[in-house]
Amino acid sequence: MNNFFFRISLILILLSIFGCKSAEITSNENLKVTFLSEYILPDDIFVNNTQVGGLSGIDFYDGTYYLVCDDSNNPRIYEASITLDNNQISKVNVDKVLLINDTSDFLDLESIRFDSQSNKILLTSEGHINKKKDPLFFDINETGDIKDRFEIPESFKANSLQKPRHNGTLEGLCIEFKKKGYWLGMELPLEVDGPEPQLEITKSPVRITFINSETKKPEKQFGYYLDPIAKKPLSNFSVNGLTDLLEYAENKFLVLERSYSSGLGNQGNTIKLFKVDASKATNTLKINSLANTDFTSAKKELLLNFESIRDKLKDSSIDNIEGITFGPKLPNGHKSLIVISDNNFNTQGKQLNQFILLELTED
């Protein structure tokens, strides 16, 4: 009898270990990302006399999606609902617009997160370096008023001797895994840290900074090397930068990079999603120049090159993907990811308000 109960107990223990794999992501996983669905939101949708477009960031919380618009003439965010049916995006409804009440700053909004701890919406702005307008990280209340401004590193400010690049500052934002603060991702390297990415391999590190939610000050930082430009431009412009990030386990991130080469039409964007490990990275917060310092950068591993799913997308077009969020759990218990594109209000040619649904699994 005792032997029988011992065997039963052993079986139950083994089942608890091996039979009920968690839907949460572990810290030592082999991740896999799979394409599920695409949805194109028409570019002629208006909500309270504002055109829906320029969608540079997305977040999801408690059934609501938060979208940020990078129209600096009328900074605003939208609340939306996205319907998933059989692992497909069947509908996107933009339900509400919230205007940001600010006249003293130049708000070029790039990323958005809803902080359930403070019940506030967090936003980043790239500012306008050429006009000496600082990048900003702040939160707003339900009426669109700026409440708290968080301190950012001095090196990111417009008059910094380390020289942030115009249109290359606070592009990415995520809530820290333990919910004790936030991570800010720079789009391009500071001038003292290295060159912008080129077709050939360069040492082009961007800085990713942790902001403590209580002190509202930066506490630590790490360097992350960008990939080269993916395609040779047929015109005179190309860029590659970090556009958004998520922390899925302590010091483990999903990072989006967007490479663009002009003159290639709807083939100009190359989007890559990386798995990044910053657990052994040097704290670069007090390092003046990464170009002149021996430091350990975060390690990156390619999860998905969107070129591999191009033939599954409308007109084989990968647009200007700038935002990423965890979506709801899928019916199989796996995590979903949704990425979103900034169509620049079609000022630079025909572009798309593109939503792409992905499945995130562990091998």
Side-chain angles (χ1 to χ4, degrees), residues 204-240:
S204 300
V206 294
R207 298 182 186 233
I208 298 175
T209 307
F210 175 75
I211 308 294
N212 185 299
S213 57
E214 290 189 4
T215 65
K216 299 181 173 56
K217 294 181 179 181
E219 278 192 356
K220 56 186 176 180
Q221 184 185 85
F222 63 89
Y224 167 92
Y225 281 109
L226 296 168
D227 267 21
I229 300 294
K231 299 172 184 175
K232 184 177 180 179
L234 297 184
S235 188
N236 61 356
F237 179 73
S238 61
V239 68
N240 183 52

Side-chain angles (χ1 to χ4, degrees), residues 35-210:
F35 170 80
L36 294 179
S37 172
E38 176 197 37
Y39 187 95
I40 305 301
L41 186 70
D43 56 17
D44 59 354
I45 292 178
F46 285 77
V47 177
N48 288 356
N49 298 316
T50 65
Q51 185 176 8
V52 178
L55 302 177
S56 59
I58 181 172
D59 199 28
F60 172 74
Y61 178 73
D62 195 26
T64 298
Y65 290 84
Y66 299 87
L67 314 175
V68 64
C69 170
D70 67 357
D71 179 3
S72 59
N73 294 315
N74 187 16
R76 58 192 183 272
I77 65 171
Y78 293 97
E79 292 184 12
S81 53
I82 298 177
T83 304
L84 304 184
D85 290 317
N86 298 318
N87 289 345
Q88 305 285 305
I89 301 177
S90 61
K91 183 181 292 186
V92 175
N93 284 332
V94 182
D95 307 312
K96 177 182 176 182
V97 63
L98 180 61
L99 305 181
I100 311 303
N101 303 318
D102 180 80
T103 58
S104 60
D105 301 294
F106 185 95
L107 295 185
D108 180 8
L109 303 177
E110 293 294 345
S111 54
I112 184 168
R113 298 293 171 199
F114 182 87
D115 185 357
S116 59
Q117 303 288 102
S118 64
N119 201 39
K120 291 180 182 177
I121 294 170
L122 301 157
L123 297 165
T124 65
S125 166
E126 285 199 296
H128 198 295
I129 300 302
N130 290 344
K131 294 181 179 179
K132 304 302 179 184
K133 294 290 187 179
D134 289 337
L136 297 173
F137 174 40
F138 59 94
D139 61 29
I140 59 173
N141 62 14
E142 65 278 1
T143 60
D145 298 311
I146 294 178
K147 301 303 291 182
D148 293 311
R149 297 171 185 258
F150 297 82
E151 184 178 318
I152 65 173
E154 289 295 318
S155 60
F156 296 176
K157 296 182 179 179
N159 289 319
S160 165
L161 296 177
Q162 290 154 295
K163 296 185 177 179
R165 287 179 161 92
H166 178 68
N167 205 32
T169 63
L170 300 183
E171 186 78 18
L173 168 66
C174 70
I175 295 175
E176 190 242 3
F177 180 72
K178 293 184 175 180
K179 301 186 184 301
K180 294 181 179 180
Y182 319 102
W183 290 98
L184 301 176
M186 292 285 278
E187 180 178 3
L188 294 174
L190 301 171
E191 287 190 19
V192 298
D193 287 342
E196 294 185 54
Q198 305 296 320
L199 284 168
E200 67 276 7
I201 295 176
T202 59
K203 289 187 175 181
S204 300
V206 294
R207 298 182 186 233
I208 298 175
T209 307
F210 175 75

